[in-house]
Amino acid sequence: MTLTQETLGARPSVAPFAKKRHRPGDVVFHAVVLGAVIVAISSLIWVMWSIVKVGVPLIDWDFLAVNNGARPKTAGFTSALRGSLVVLLITMLVALPLGFGAAIYLEKFAVARQQVAARRAVLLRDRLANERGLARVGTSVRLIWARLVGPLNRFVDINISNLAAVPSVIYGLLGLAVFVTFAGLSESLLAGGLTLAMLVLPIIIISSREALKAVPSSIEQGALALGSTPWQAVRGQVVPAAIPGMLTGSILAMSRAIGESAPLIVVGGVVFSTHIPSVNPVNAGSEALLAMPLQIFFWAARPQESFRDLAAAGIVVLMIVLLLMNSVAIFLRNRYSKRW
Amino acid sequence: MSTNTKRFKRQKDVRTGPPDAAGASIQVADRTPESAFTFEDRIPRGNVATVPLFELEKVGVTYSGNPAARDVDLVVPQHQITAFIGPSGCGKSTLLRCLNRMNDLIPGAQIQGKVTFAGQDLYDPTIDPVDVRRRIGMVFQKPNPFPKSIRENITFGMKVNGIKPTDELVEQALRAAAIWDEVKDRLDADAYSLSGGQQQRLCIARALAVNPDVLLMDEPCSALDPIATLAIEDLMVKLVDQYTIVIVTHNMQQAARVSDQTAFFTVDGMDQGLRYGTLVECAETKKIFTQPEDQRTEDYVTGRFG
């Protein structure tokens, strides 16, 4: 039926809209969710305030860069701050290349590799039928390997997510067994950095894969259609487009690493050393493992009030470092927000 | 007869000089895309010798065992525009992607039959698919510039192919795609700052910059407005003297306007519970649109298709 003047005129009168009414359920729900926010935020603010109130007056240049004593008067954050810096640097140097590499392989090349292996398996199987003796053994081995590529890729794929959920203490035990005992690195900054690198590796891989996945495939296809090799397409177009996301995820992973204390305790971190560690990562193998969370943990456990105040100051410093790192991540995310 | 003389004149216009000559400005004034189509709207081109470039023999494609196209026999002549038309799901794009081995990149895709390019088997295991894709360029349905500057969009293809990216070559590519005048003052601006039609012409420029033999275009105008569409159609006619163009299109007027040869595909295999594309008919465009041999072609081009 078309709408003409006549058909419109013949329409029955339209029923009036319902009046706005009071819905008690809405009000209750509103109150509940608002209450949840208030409880969460206010408890956070209260904790922060109680720490900042005590800690901030204690922070000065001596606390950060000079003091290194055993008494409350002479105690400072110098060694811990330097130690954390070196540990973070080592973690970054190890975990970023490994994590980015693994993410690029798993996201961009594993499937193609699997397909090639599957095709090769078919060829090898046909060849096997015509072969005798030693050649047969060689072909069999290659056939088994070709068949293993797919399941291996899937196994790695599944277990990276599982590894991200493993408690950090377990990584501490791994670091103790592998780096301290087996590799003989002793309880050094190097061992701590490597342990934390293992801890954040799955997180970096997962977040980098997500960033790579977010780059539309049309960009990669466009590059391939110009006659670039798969590697050129990934290196020249996909990775540059994904790098802000990959860095954002990695910085957040690094801020997790800098706040971790449990694995460092297991690896054998110390809390007091008369020697101020060198910030040169080359020397990390011979420096005792010192880090900010360990120092805070130690001070907070001491009975003296003055040490607890120092712990508060340490917490403030750690928090400032964390906030700085997170703001870099947020800046990167906003600066290079998705354009497709 | 008046149309014939006009065609002749336009033909001369179009065919003088290389496409990168100064005549990069585009004339669209005398054609209105919205008006009813007549075959005389065709962008005129002279008769060109038919030299087969692609030869397809019983070509089929399956995705994880499901056929997407089957038994296609087709010849694409050099320096002509060949249009693939047909309803959705008839395998036009799938077939187009066989012509430069883009289907290799889709997991589970398998090709049957034989595709030869200038006499060479395109799927010979000793042939490098990377070189195939360089020689046979592609423009996609949705403009897909790289998220970089306009200049970098052009130079990427040159770099990966070992061409030294000079300013002259960049300008030449942009001129060939009739976008130079619009971007010459902002070559370092982000490619995403261009309009959709400009982005698509940038993608064409990018493809031309690596100096391919063939340009495959997969519905290049489906995301564009009529003005940009006409600009790209005029561009195709300009380019075909140097390149061979294969275009997939849903727009029959477009096929009629620009192509020399048209291949009509349809969906088949419904009675076996399958859905794959087959070639119904391939002939000179005028013949397809005025006196097709197959009833299905006639139904489709006259708009009576179900």
Side-chain angles (χ1 to χ4, degrees):
Chain A
M1 195 172 72
T2 49
L3 285 177
T4 63
Q5 207 60 46
E6 292 92 78
T7 54
L8 266 180
R11 282 172 71 87
S13 63
V14 177
F17 287 118
K19 289 274 171 284
K20 206 173 173 181
R21 70 198 155 95
H22 190 66
R23 291 182 171 84
D26 280 9
V27 177
V28 171
F29 183 69
H30 191 196
V32 168
V33 289
L34 187 68
V37 171
I38 290 172
V39 169
I41 297 283
S42 58
S43 56
L44 189 67
I45 288 175
W46 179 71
V47 170
M48 297 267 286
W49 174 242
S50 61
I51 290 168
V52 166
K53 192 177 55 182
V54 181
V56 169
L58 291 173
I59 299 173
D60 53 16
W61 182 246
D62 285 355
F63 178 77
L64 291 175
V66 180
N67 286 353
N68 185 37
R71 279 181 246 259
K73 273 264 186 274
T74 58
F77 220 38
T78 316
S79 304
L81 196 58
R82 283 171 163 243
S84 268
L85 206 71
V86 175
V87 165
L88 193 70
L89 211 63
I90 291 164
T91 306
M92 225 152 70
L93 287 177
V94 173
L96 284 190
L98 281 182
F100 286 176
I104 290 169
Y105 172 76
L106 289 171
E107 196 55 43
K108 289 290 159 198
F109 294 100
V111 175
R113 183 85 194 79
Q114 247 164 274
Q115 277 197 311
V116 170
R119 273 201 291 273
R120 184 173 298 154
V122 174
L123 287 178
L124 288 171
R125 199 185 55 206
D126 293 346
R127 218 164 80 189
L128 199 62
N130 309 322
E131 279 180 339
R132 292 280 170 275
L134 220 66
R136 199 180 159 81
V137 176
T139 311
S140 306
V141 171
R142 288 167 66 190
L143 177 61
I144 291 167
W145 174 241
R147 286 208 174 130
L148 270 178
V149 168
L152 259 176
N153 271 336
R154 276 193 295 279
F155 178 79
V156 170
D157 212 349
I158 292 167
N159 277 290
I160 285 174
S161 337
N162 287 344
L163 282 176
V166 169
S168 57
V169 180
I170 310 290
Y171 281 98
L173 287 170
L174 176 85
L176 182 65
V178 175
F179 301 124
V180 178
T181 313
F182 179 73
L185 295 178
S186 74
E187 294 88 352
S188 63
L189 288 176
L190 185 60
L194 292 174
T195 305
L196 290 184
M198 295 303 116
L199 171 73
V200 295
L201 200 51
I203 308 173
I204 291 178
I205 293 174
I206 290 170
S207 62
S208 302
R209 285 186 70 175
E210 290 304 321
L212 288 165
K213 214 179 279 180
V215 178
S217 65
S218 67
I219 288 179
E220 192 182 353
Q221 296 220 336
L224 290 168
L226 291 173
S228 67
T229 61
W231 167 236
Q232 284 170 330
V234 168
R235 194 199 57 187
Q237 298 301 339
V238 179
V239 170
I243 205 78
M246 290 164 81
L247 284 178
T248 306
S250 307
I251 293 170
L252 294 179
M254 289 301 152
S255 18
R256 170 161 178 205
I258 206 174
E260 278 292 347
S261 53
L264 296 184
I265 293 172
V266 178
V267 169
V270 294
V271 290
F272 175 72
S273 156
T274 49
H275 172 64
I276 292 180
S278 147
V279 284
N280 186 347
V282 176
N283 306 328
S286 54
E287 299 284 1
L289 178 49
L290 290 145
M292 289 193 281
L294 289 183
Q295 187 72 69
I296 292 165
F297 176 73
F298 172 72
W299 278 339
R302 296 287 287 268
Q304 295 95 323
E305 188 67 34
S306 43
F307 275 117
R308 300 226 193 118
D309 295 350
L310 282 174
I315 289 168
V316 173
V317 174
L318 181 58
M319 231 153 42
I320 289 169
V321 172
L322 280 172
L323 285 176
L324 279 177
M325 289 174 72
N326 288 6
S327 37
V328 171
I330 290 168
F331 170 78
L332 276 177
R333 197 176 55 206
N334 293 345
R335 175 80 173 72
Y336 300 97
S337 55
K338 275 193 208 112
R339 295 189 289 175
W340 36 80
Chain B
M1 276 288 98
S2 66
T3 45
N4 265 353
T5 51
K6 187 181 161 203
R7 178 183 299 183
F8 186 72
K9 247 178 87 189
R10 282 281 294 274
Q11 171 206 339
K12 222 175 136 194
D13 264 331
V14 166
R15 293 173 70 86
T16 46
D20 57 333
S25 68
I26 296 159
Q27 296 175 350
V28 289
D30 57 339
R31 291 189 293 123
T32 46
E34 291 86 357
S35 65
F37 168 72
T38 68
F39 198 74
E40 301 306 335
D41 282 345
R42 192 176 151 65
I43 300 179
R45 276 183 12 88
N47 290 324
V48 260
T50 306
V51 182
L53 189 62
F54 284 105
E55 284 164 282
L56 281 69
E57 270 173 54
K58 295 256 165 250
V59 171
V61 181
T62 53
Y63 291 125
S64 320
N66 304 315
R70 200 180 256 187
D71 289 340
V72 177
D73 290 297
L74 185 72
V75 172
V76 175
Q78 198 170 14
H79 295 310
Q80 289 197 14
I81 302 177
T82 300
F84 290 180
I85 61 169
S88 295
C90 71
K92 306 178 296 275
S93 296
T94 299
L95 204 66
L96 190 76
R97 295 167 70 91
C98 287
L99 300 183
N100 70 342
R101 297 194 59 171
M102 283 301 274
N103 275 339
D104 289 20
L105 309 165
I106 299 170
Q110 277 246 304
I111 180 159
Q112 297 87 37
K114 192 173 179 191
V115 185
T116 57
F117 175 74
Q120 314 169 67
D121 185 353
L122 216 52
Y123 285 84
D124 187 312
T126 60
I127 280 182
D128 183 5
V130 172
D131 191 44
V132 169
R133 286 182 214 122
R134 186 191 75 74
R135 303 260 301 272
I136 306 169
M138 191 163 198
V139 177
F140 296 83
Q141 182 170 1
K142 221 177 119 215
N144 60 342
F146 302 133
K148 296 190 167 181
S149 74
I150 292 167
R151 188 197 306 275
E152 283 169 309
N153 264 275
I154 305 290
T155 54
F156 175 75
M158 296 179 174
K159 281 181 197 153
V160 299
N161 287 296
I163 307 170
K164 200 167 173 286
T166 60
D167 285 351
E168 289 80 54
L169 287 175
V170 170
E171 177 175 343
Q172 203 179 319
L174 288 166
R175 273 196 194 282
I179 191 180
W180 171 252
D181 289 334
E182 290 154 74
V183 300
K184 63 183 172 197
D185 300 324
R186 47 176 179 146
L187 287 178
D188 293 309
D190 190 351
Y192 279 51
S193 67
L194 300 173
S195 72
Q198 289 173 327
Q199 286 185 12
Q200 193 64 302
R201 273 180 285 151
L202 178 64
C203 291
I204 294 174
R206 184 174 80 180
L208 295 178
V210 302
N211 198 19
D213 299 326
V214 183
L215 212 50
L216 306 177
M217 303 176 112
D218 188 358
E219 294 181 47
C221 304
S222 66
L224 306 182
D225 70 23
I227 303 293
T229 301
L230 290 179
I232 286 178
E233 287 176 7
D234 278 313
L235 182 60
M236 282 193 273
V237 174
K238 280 204 180 85
L239 291 174
V240 75
D241 282 339
Q242 302 203 334
Y243 306 93
T244 301
I245 296 177
V246 184
I247 176 174
V248 166
T249 179
H250 270 297
N251 180 338
M252 278 180 288
Q253 280 96 321
Q254 183 169 59
R257 278 195 297 261
V258 300
S259 71
D260 301 292
Q261 175 188 266
T262 299
F264 172 65
F265 293 83
T266 192
V267 182
D268 209 344
M270 247 85 112
D271 47 345
Q272 304 157 51
L274 295 169
R275 233 187 112 83
Y276 56 82
T278 50
L279 178 68
V280 175
E281 171 167 18
C282 176
E284 199 199 328
T285 300
K286 187 157 191 172
K287 185 166 178 294
I288 291 280
F289 279 88
T290 53
Q291 42 201 221
E293 274 169 19
D294 198 290
Q295 186 61 41
R296 288 172 292 177
T297 314
E298 186 170 352
D299 288 351
Y300 189 76
V301 297
T302 54
R304 253 180 290 157
F305 187 80

